[in-house]
Amino acid sequence: MRIPPSHPRRESLLIREKLVEGFKRGIVVPEGLIAHGRGECFDYLLGEKTQLFALEAIKAAAAALLLADHPVISVNGNTAALVPGDIVRLSRVTGALIEVNLFYRTRGREEAIADWLKKHGAGEVLGVGDDASATIPELFSERRRVSPRGILVADTVLVPLEDGDRTEALRKMGKTVIAIDLNPLSRTSRAASITIVDNVVRAMPLLVREAEKLKRESKSILEKIINGYDNDRVLRRAVEFIRDRLTSLASSRLILDFPGNG
Ligand code: ATP
Ligand code: MG
């Protein structure tokens, strides 16, 4: 599909195209397309830009990944379709392992995602087939199945686009959970240790850059960043941002200029 460069919703349409392509490749499931729609709604409210509270969370997330003994990047279909190259780059910079973790798990889909990541430069991809042999204590979805070398033993897990149940399960296991979620009110956002309220397509490249930058810093500086970080404050700032933006929009002229729209 050709989207004209001047189209006001071009970026958003290009992201949708990537997901549709991922769907055709067997990487994304229909439910993933719906989840994206929920995210888009919040992106609209956030002004479709990375805001300061997201930058603060990105910095803390980079520090946490660099300080971790055993960091893992948990990858689902939407994340793989949207930011495969950044997943690989982040894993290189931080030494984090990459693990496929799916709500709707099939062998074919696991392999399609692993192949797609390898096509973008990934080495080993955990969580495929028999490797997902351990389980985390969680009641429902297939996301309970994890790699005994990956998420099971990880101290820090990055979960771009996670489900609330599993975020809570990972926290109960004592892990540091870093979430990327456009909805500051989701259970994922509220249960995570560090929540990046931003679109994964904007947040991931920034996270890679921040990790590259902080990699040169000492351990004590990284610890200072984490100790000064308050996730509740960051979430409140995200909600306040939406509130203030809506207040300002509500007092402005909203209708577009067309003949008869006076
Ligand atoms: P939770 O289970 O955490 O309470 P939920 O049930 O409302 O959340 P899910 O359907 O489990 O939501 O997952 C979709 C989540 O992913 C939504 O919170 C949505 O904001 C977020 N999301 C979707 N697409 C993106 C994206 N491109 N970048 C960041 N977040 C996204
Ligand atoms: Mg959910």
Side-chain angles (χ1 to χ4, degrees), residues 3-193:
I3 303 162
S6 60
H7 194 289
R9 306 225 46 80
R10 182 179 159 82
E11 278 309 311
S12 168
L13 292 174
L14 287 174
I15 298 171
R16 285 189 183 180
E17 282 302 298
K18 277 193 187 171
L19 286 171
V20 170
E21 195 199 324
F23 177 72
K24 289 179 185 154
R25 286 176 183 272
I27 290 172
V28 171
V29 284
E31 291 82 354
L33 302 178
I34 296 169
H36 183 74
R38 182 172 289 171
E40 278 184 340
C41 172
F42 282 95
D43 211 4
Y44 219 109
L45 299 176
L46 290 166
E48 294 173 306
K49 283 199 184 76
T50 302
Q51 304 295 345
L52 288 176
F53 47 82
L55 289 175
E56 188 183 336
I58 285 169
K59 190 170 179 182
L65 287 168
L66 289 168
L67 278 176
D69 290 322
H70 194 39
V72 172
I73 305 170
S74 175
V75 179
N76 70 354
N78 283 32
T79 317
L82 291 175
V83 286
D86 292 311
I87 293 167
V88 175
R89 278 187 280 278
L90 187 65
S91 115
R92 290 226 183 96
V93 184
T94 61
L97 302 175
I98 300 174
E99 175 166 343
V100 176
N101 190 263
L102 306 176
F103 201 99
Y104 304 95
R105 202 182 255 285
T106 64
R107 183 68 182 252
R109 209 172 146 230
E110 289 166 4
E111 280 166 4
I113 291 173
D115 288 348
W116 178 247
L117 292 171
K118 284 177 182 165
K119 216 172 134 183
H120 287 82
E124 194 181 17
V125 178
L126 300 174
V128 179
D130 295 339
D131 184 54
S133 58
T135 55
I136 55 171
E138 179 204 7
L139 288 181
F140 304 110
S141 80
E142 277 298 293
R143 292 196 102 168
R144 74 203 318 244
R145 286 178 48 199
V146 295
S147 167
R149 290 182 295 140
I151 290 170
L152 187 74
V153 292
D155 54 355
T156 302
V157 191
L158 171 67
V159 289
L161 319 191
E162 187 53 86
D163 173 64
D165 286 341
R166 214 175 69 109
T167 309
E168 287 176 6
L170 294 172
R171 282 309 299 280
K172 280 186 197 143
M173 291 174 81
K175 300 179 193 303
T176 297
V177 178
I178 303 163
I180 304 177
D181 192 330
L182 279 160
N183 177 4
L185 299 171
S186 73
R187 263 183 320 135
T188 300
S189 284
R190 299 167 71 187
S193 323

Side-chain angles (χ1 to χ4, degrees), residues 178-246:
I178 303 163
I180 304 177
D181 192 330
L182 279 160
N183 177 4
L185 299 171
S186 73
R187 263 183 320 135
T188 300
S189 284
R190 299 167 71 187
S193 323
I194 298 170
T195 309
I196 302 168
V197 182
D198 196 13
N199 198 315
V200 77
V201 302
R202 294 190 300 267
M204 279 294 282
L206 292 171
L207 184 53
V208 172
R209 222 182 304 154
E210 191 65 34
E212 281 167 352
K213 209 170 93 194
L214 289 183
K215 208 177 170 168
R216 297 191 283 263
E217 301 292 351
S218 67
K219 205 175 158 191
S220 68
I221 292 207
L222 300 181
E223 279 163 354
K224 221 168 134 189
I225 292 170
I226 310 251
N227 293 336
Y229 182 79
D230 178 346
N231 207 41
D232 191 47
R233 193 186 66 214
V234 163
L235 289 178
R236 272 186 280 122
R237 273 170 49 207
V239 175
E240 282 163 10
F241 178 89
I242 292 173
R243 178 197 64 192
D244 293 347
R245 187 154 183 274
L246 289 176

